[in-house]
Amino acid sequence: MKAMDCLAGALIALTASITPGLAQAPKSGIERMYVLYCGDIALTDMGRFSPGYSGPGALSSTCYLFKHTQGWLLWDTGLGDAIASMPEGQKSNAGVWHVKKTLASQLAEIGVKPSDIRYLALSHSHGDHVGNVNLFPQATLVVQKAEYDWPDPSGTPRFPKDMKATKAEGDHDLFGDGSVLLISTPGHSPGHQCLLVKLPKTGALMFSGDAVHTQANWDNKRTPIQNFNPAQSAAALDRMAAVLKEHNAQLWIGHEPTEVAKHKYAPAYYE
Ligand SMILES: [Zn+2]
């Protein structure tokens, strides 16, 4: 009888260890996230970005830095640091760009060297998102293949050709642990992507890139008429809404100026 009791006990223990419902969910590899100021954009005509508006407007520019157990990840690089030394800012085709604090100085403040960045994930190839790519020549670019291969009218490559690059074709799980997902959202540009990150304490966040520029555009499902493909842009908003729901995620819109006051910036961080 005693031997039978032992066997029964062992069987119960074995069953408990292999029952899927009792297994712990894999731990997110993300340890912390920093929000970085990446410039200010003064627009001549807000209507170019937000149908229904006219006259001057303003957009913020935001980058996000993640410490993952497999290395540092930077999402977008903002306006170029060189603009910080231009008193009048830099003229763009839509207005004027200003940089009050460089990306390099913000990284230095938290003790991160540009060479520490393992992955440089970019929403797309427009100038207000790739302004500081050259600070990180050792990093691996993480972009959509459709964006990488999109011919630039000037004939110059959209990304430095000598950088290592992961060219995703659709959604992509960057670290293979489900903690960082690139979400394909073409329309603003041919290979635009959003970023979904699962933070251990804060929860799931989705970063919009330029799939949407403002909260008002999101609330009213509006897309800029100047987008590369307006029909794809509208579909991207639907896809984002579905992903937000599926992952119970918050949407953070990097160009929405009212988000600046809502979020804590580096050196403070989120976990
Ligand atoms: Zn932008």
Side-chain angles (χ1 to χ4, degrees):
M1 274 311 279
K2 245 183 166 170
M4 284 299 285
D5 283 349
C6 265
L7 185 61
L11 276 172
I12 288 165
L14 181 66
T15 308
S17 70
I18 59 172
T19 303
L22 299 177
Q24 280 209 323
K27 195 171 168 286
S28 168
I30 295 285
E31 295 176 347
R32 57 174 65 175
M33 170 185 83
Y34 293 94
V35 181
L36 304 170
Y37 161 86
C38 275
D40 298 293
I41 301 173
L43 295 171
T44 316
D45 178 13
M46 189 68 187
R48 285 184 59 179
F49 294 87
S50 201
Y53 287 77
S54 61
L59 296 176
S60 53
S61 177
T62 320
C63 307
Y64 307 87
L65 177 69
F66 303 90
K67 185 174 190 222
H68 187 280
T69 50
Q70 295 179 41
W72 289 93
L73 157 69
L74 180 63
W75 169 248
D76 279 343
T77 69
L79 311 182
D81 279 359
I83 299 171
S85 59
M86 303 176 190
E88 309 282 305
Q90 178 175 291
K91 282 212 167 75
S92 78
N93 60 356
V96 184
W97 293 353
H98 296 277
V99 173
K100 288 183 288 209
K101 193 174 182 185
T102 62
L103 177 60
S105 73
Q106 292 171 79
L107 293 177
E109 199 179 347
I110 56 173
V112 175
K113 296 188 294 293
S115 59
D116 291 336
I117 305 298
R118 180 175 179 196
Y119 289 113
L120 192 56
L122 301 167
S123 57
H124 64 303
S125 59
H126 286 162
D128 57 318
H129 296 260
V130 301
N132 291 307
V133 166
N134 290 333
L135 274 179
F136 311 97
Q138 84 301 325
T140 298
L141 288 167
V142 182
V143 295
Q144 291 290 316
K145 185 173 187 297
E147 193 76 5
Y148 196 93
D149 294 341
W150 183 25
D152 187 291
S154 70
T156 51
R158 290 181 179 270
F159 305 102
K161 284 284 178 199
D162 50 354
M163 281 179 76
K164 297 186 288 283
T166 294
K167 300 172 202 169
E169 295 181 68
D171 295 354
H172 179 66
D173 181 343
L174 183 58
F175 294 106
D177 64 357
S179 66
V180 175
L181 303 174
L182 283 313
I183 307 291
S184 172
T185 48
H188 179 69
S189 64
H192 187 280
Q193 57 184 357
C194 298
L195 182 74
L196 181 77
V197 177
K198 293 177 180 165
L199 286 155
K201 292 183 183 167
T202 309
L205 302 176
M206 181 192 253
F207 301 91
S208 65
D210 284 8
V212 61
H213 289 82
T214 65
Q215 186 66 43
N217 279 5
W218 175 255
D219 293 342
N220 295 289
K221 298 276 175 251
R222 287 189 303 233
T223 56
I225 44 169
Q226 61 179 358
N227 275 359
F228 177 76
N229 185 322
Q232 280 188 336
S233 298
L237 296 183
D238 291 340
R239 175 86 210 286
M240 290 163 72
V243 172
L244 288 168
K245 194 169 170 197
E246 181 190 343
H247 295 275
N248 192 26
Q250 300 172 45
L251 176 64
W252 285 27
I253 303 173
H255 277 314
E256 168 56 56
T258 63
E259 289 208 358
V260 175
K262 285 185 204 161
H263 299 151
K264 55 185 178 187
Y265 279 63
Y269 57 85
Y270 292 84
E271 290 179 299

